[in-house]
Amino acid sequence: MSEKIIAKELEILKYWQDNKIFEKSVKKDAPKGEYVFYDGPPFATGTPHYGHIIASIEKDVVPRYWTMKGYRVERRWGWDCHGLPIENLVEKELGFKSKKEIETMGVAEFNETCRLKVLQYVQEWKKTIPRLGRWVDMENPYSTMDLDYMESVWWVFKQLWDRDLIYKDYKSMHVCPRCETTLSQQEVSEGYKDITDISVIAKFELLDLEPVEGSKTYLLAWTTTPWTLPGNVALAMGEKINYVKVEFENNFYILSEANLETIFADQIYKKIEPVKVKDLEGKKYQPLFPYFQNVELENKQNLYTIQVGDFVTDNEGTGIVHIAPAFGEDDMNLGREKSLPFIQHVKLDGHFVDEVKDFAGLNVKPIENPQSTDIEIIKYLAAKNLLFKKEKFTHSYPHCWRCDTPLLNYATSSWFVKVTAIKQKAIEYAKEINWSPAHIKEGRFGKWLEGARDWSISRQRFWASVIPVWKSDDNNYICIGSVEELEKLSGQKVTDLHKHILDEITFEKDGKTYKRIPDVLDTWFDSGSMPYAQMHYPFENKEKFEQNFPAEFIAEAAEQARSWFYYMHILAVGIMDRPAYKNVIGHGIVLAEDGKKMSKRLKNYPDPNVILDKYGADALRIYMLGSPVMEAQNLNFAESGVKEAMQKNVMLLENVLSFYQLYNSDANIRMHANDTNSTNVLDRWVVAKLHQLILEVTESMDSYDLVKSVRPIRDFINELSTWYVRRSRDRFRDNDQPAIDTLGYVLANLAKVIAPFMPFMAEHIYQELNLGESVHLDTWPLADQKLIDKKLLEQMEAARQIVEKGLAARAQVGIKIRQPLRSYTIQLAKDVSPEIKNIILDELNVKELLVGEEKLDTKIDHDLELEGILRESIRQINQLRKEAGLTIQDRIIIYQQDLDEVVEKFGEELKQATLADEIKNEEFGEMKKVGEGSLGIEKFN
C-alpha cells in the first residue's frame, strides 16, 4: 500500500501546482485580515537536513490552520547568504588556511566567489520543501545579500545610532584566531567542548623583602592558560582571603591558607606566619619572562606589582591570580582601575609576537594540538626553576562555532549595541510573548535575557553587510541609513552594498574626507533585521508592515532563544519599542537513531528525500509532530518510527476511506450530525468523539501547542478504525444507512481537522468525497458542544478499559477470544448503558457481565463456540466471494468439509433451525451445495 500512498501524494502535489491551490489560499477572501509570521532563512550551502524539515513542518502547519480560520497568510521564502558559513566553505574550496590568504587574493574576488557559491543548492531545496507538503513562495524569495534587504539593515543600524545605542569600545572578548574576528556572546555559547588542558602554579620571586641568606620568597600564582604568562603585568590577591607564608625546601612561599593542604599535599613544610595583603600591595616581583622589562610602556611604574582584586577567590588554585589585561575581562578591568601597563604578546591570529623571542611565531592554541604551546611554556618554567606544580584537568572550553578553532579571550576594539541600556525594557516586553513549550519563556530565553551583555556587532571579515559608518581623519563619524543618503554624499550611483564596493567610496563634507570603517556586521544583525528587511521597510510597504507588526508567530529550534529569537527581540525593543513577535514554537534537536549528532561522514541517518519517497510526507510529518522534538527535547530519529506513523495513521485512514466507499452509494455527504438520523450508540459516540477532537485541536492550535494538537488526532484515527469501524462492520454489510452516513460525516470533518498536519491525506479524502476544489480552501470546522456527550464518552472509555482488562485476563489463563465464556466479573467504576454492555459482552465473547471482585469464568460456552465457528466461516466465504468478484446475489457452490455439520449442530443445539437457515441463505447468499473439500467457492449457474 505504501507505493499507492506515495503515488497519491505525488498526484495531489501535481494537482495543487496545476490548479495553483496555494496561490488561491492566499488570495481567497480573508474576513479576519492578515496573519503575519516570520520565516527565518536557511543557508543554501547544503541540502535540507532534519532540523530544516521539522522547522518547515511547523511553518506549514500553523499557516494552514490560520488560513482555514479566515486569515490571509502570505508565505515568502528567504535565503541567508552572509557570514562565516559561506566564507569558510569558499576558503575550504580554495585551500586557504588563514585570513591573510584572502587579503592576498583580494577582497573583491573573494566576495564575488562567495556570491556565486552561496545559492548552489537552491534546486535541491526547491525539490524537497514542496515534496514535504509545505506551501511557501520559493519563486520570489528575499535574500540577505540583496540591495533592498541590506539597505533596510542600514536603516535598523541608523535607528540604533540615532538613539545612542551604538558605541565603540576596547574590551576583552572572545576571538577566533583562525577567522581573525571577534565573536558575540551567543556565538561563543554555541561552541563549548570538553577538553583536557594543563594548569600551572608558577613561582614569582618577591623582590621588596629583607633577603634571607640562601633563600628566596615566592608568591605562588595559579593559571589555566600558561600561554598568557609572557603577558603578565601584575599579581592579584583577595582582600578578604587569609594568606600564609610557609617554608619548603629552603625557600619561602606565600599562598592562601585555605589551599595550603591541597597545594602541599604529601609534602613536608613549615608554616611560618600569616601574611597581610595590605603589607604586600604595591610591592614588586621578578617577572617569569624578561621580554618586556626594557620596552617603553605606559604606566610602566606599576609593571610587575602586587595588586588587590575583589574578583580573586580561594575556591581553587592558590588565592593569587596572574594578571594579563590583554586576555581577560577581570584582568582588563583591574588594569584600568590600577593603571597597569598593557602588554599584548599575542597577535589576533593567535601567534606570539616577535618580542617573545623563545616562542616567536608559535600558535598559542593550535587546533591540531591545543596543549602544545602550553607544554613549551611549562618546559621553559621548569628549566628556570620557576615551575612549582602542573596538572592536567578537563573543562569546557569555547571553540569557533564554524571552524572549531579554540577561541582566545583577547582585548580588542569593537562596535557594540548598548543592550544593557534597554535590558529591563526587553525583559518586560518578553512577558507578553507566548512560548511553546512554555518553560522556554522563563528558562532558556528568560535567563539569557537576564544575563544579556552589550552586543559586539563588528566583525573583521568580508562577505557580510557592512557597518554603515564613515570616518574622517580627525575621528569624526557619520552613520548612513540609506542608499539615497550615500549617493548624495558621494555623488556616485550605488548598486551594491558589500564591503569591496563600499570601501572604495569616499566623500567630502565640511572640508573633511570620510572613508568607511573596515568592519562588517555580525550576521545575526542581518537575521535580527529580517522583519523589516524582507519587506524593504521603511523604503517600501510602510503601511502594510506597520499594520502587521509584531508578527503573530515564529518557529525555529529552541536553541535560537539565544540567537535569532533574542536578536530580533533586542532590535525590536531598541527601534520599535515593542516585541518583534507574539508566539514562538521552539523545537528540539533531531539526532541520529543512536543518539549521536547526524553526520554525512558517518552516514548515520537516512536521507530525508529517501524517507519521503519511501513512506510519504504525511507519515514523516505526523511522526515528527507527535515526537518529543516538539517539546524542545532531543529526538533520536528512527526510520521505523516513520514507518509506524504511516501504518497507524495514513494507511489506517486509507483503509477506513476504502471501507466507506465500498458501502456508500450516495454521492451526497451528510455534513451535519443531525442529518445522519442515527440513534445507534456507536454513531453517537464517534460523533461526540469527533467534536471533542475538533475542540481539543482548536484549543491547542490557538495556543501554538502542536504536539497536543497531533496526539489526539493519532488517537482518534486509531479509535475510528479499530473501534468504530470494526464494531460497525455488520451494520455496514447490512447497508445500515445511518452507519454509512455517520462515517461519511466523520471523514468529511476529519479531513478538515487533519488538513494542516496531513495535507495530502486530507486532500485525498476531501476529493474522494467530492466536497469541493480543495480542503485547504475550506474553513476550519467548529466544535458543537451539544454533540459532545460527555457521559457517553466516559461510558465508552470505561467499556474499552473493561475490554482491555478482560482480554488481558484471557491471555493470562491462555484462553483465546474465539472460545466463548460464560461470564466476566468486574468492579465497575461507572455504570454503563445496556447498549455499551452488549458491546463489552461481544468484545470479550462472554455471555454475562457481572459486578463484583474481578474474575473471569474460564468455563467455555459451547453454544457460543459453535456460533463463533459459523460466523468465522461466513467471514471467510464472503472474503472469497469478494476476491472472486462475486456479489451477494450470485449463486455459489461452497466447499468445506464440516460446514454442513456445523450448521446442523448450531440449529439443533439452540433450537433455532430457522435462524440457521436464515444465516445460511442470507449471509452466504444462495447456496446450491455444501460438499467435501477444503474451503473454497465457485459460481453456480
Side-chain angles (χ1 to χ4, degrees), residues 781-831:
L782 297 176
D784 188 338
Q785 295 278 7
K786 295 177 183 177
L787 295 175
I788 303 176
D789 187 335
K790 291 184 179 179
K791 183 177 180 180
L792 174 58
L793 291 172
E794 289 173 359
Q795 287 192 7
M796 193 66 80
E797 180 60 29
R800 298 193 68 186
Q801 291 175 8
I802 292 169
V803 169
E804 186 178 341
K805 286 183 178 181
L807 293 175
R810 274 180 169 275
Q812 191 172 5
V813 295
I815 300 177
K816 295 181 179 180
I817 192 66
R818 69 170 178 263
Q819 294 178 304
L821 302 178
R822 293 200 178 277
S823 67
Y824 178 48
T825 306
I826 192 168
Q827 292 179 338
L828 282 176
K830 293 184 179 296
D831 291 333

Side-chain angles (χ1 to χ4, degrees), residues 827-844:
Q827 292 179 338
L828 282 176
K830 293 184 179 296
D831 291 333
V832 295
S833 68
E835 295 170 300
I836 291 180
K837 186 176 179 181
N838 288 334
I839 291 174
I840 297 171
L841 293 173
D842 192 53
E843 280 290 307
L844 292 178

Side-chain angles (χ1 to χ4, degrees), residues 75 100 116 138 169 173 188 197 211 221 256 412 470 473 596 655 881 928:
R75 282 153 269 183
K100 290 181 179 62
L116 288 173
M138 299 186 81
D169 199 3
M173 62 191 77
V188 173
D197 264 329
S256 71
T412 187
W470 271 253
D473 292 338
K596 295 178 181 178
N655 289 338
R881 182 192 288 275
K928 179 68 178 178

Side-chain angles (χ1 to χ4, degrees), residues 584-631:
V584 190
I585 295 176
H587 58 258
I589 304 300
V590 184
L591 302 172
E593 190 169 3
D594 59 6
K596 295 178 181 178
K597 184 178 179 181
M598 288 186 170
S599 167
K600 288 184 179 179
R601 180 179 59 84
L602 296 176
K603 297 180 180 178
N604 61 351
Y605 68 95
D607 183 281
N609 289 308
V610 172
I611 292 294
L612 289 169
D613 290 342
K614 199 170 181 181
Y615 305 106
D618 281 345
L620 179 58
R621 289 168 70 113
I622 211 74
Y623 166 66
M624 299 193 85
L625 285 168
S627 74
V629 78
M630 293 305 305
E631 297 172 306

Side-chain angles (χ1 to χ4, degrees), residues 434-494:
N434 171 56
W435 288 82
S436 181
H439 63 77
I440 300 176
K441 182 172 186 171
E442 302 296 334
R444 194 175 304 194
F445 187 70
K447 285 181 169 54
W448 188 257
L449 267 180
E450 288 172 6
R453 303 178 181 181
D454 288 351
W455 173 15
S456 169
I457 55 171
S458 55
R459 299 291 178 268
Q460 297 70 48
R461 296 298 297 185
F462 311 102
W463 179 244
S465 287
V466 303
I467 294 181
V469 173
W470 271 253
K471 175 186 172 185
S472 67
D473 292 338
D474 61 353
N475 293 323
N476 190 51
Y477 294 100
I478 294 178
C479 178
I480 296 176
S482 70
V483 170
E484 181 182 6
E485 186 180 352
L486 179 58
E487 288 180 338
K488 286 181 179 178
L489 285 168
S490 67
Q492 299 183 40
K493 182 67 176 174
V494 177

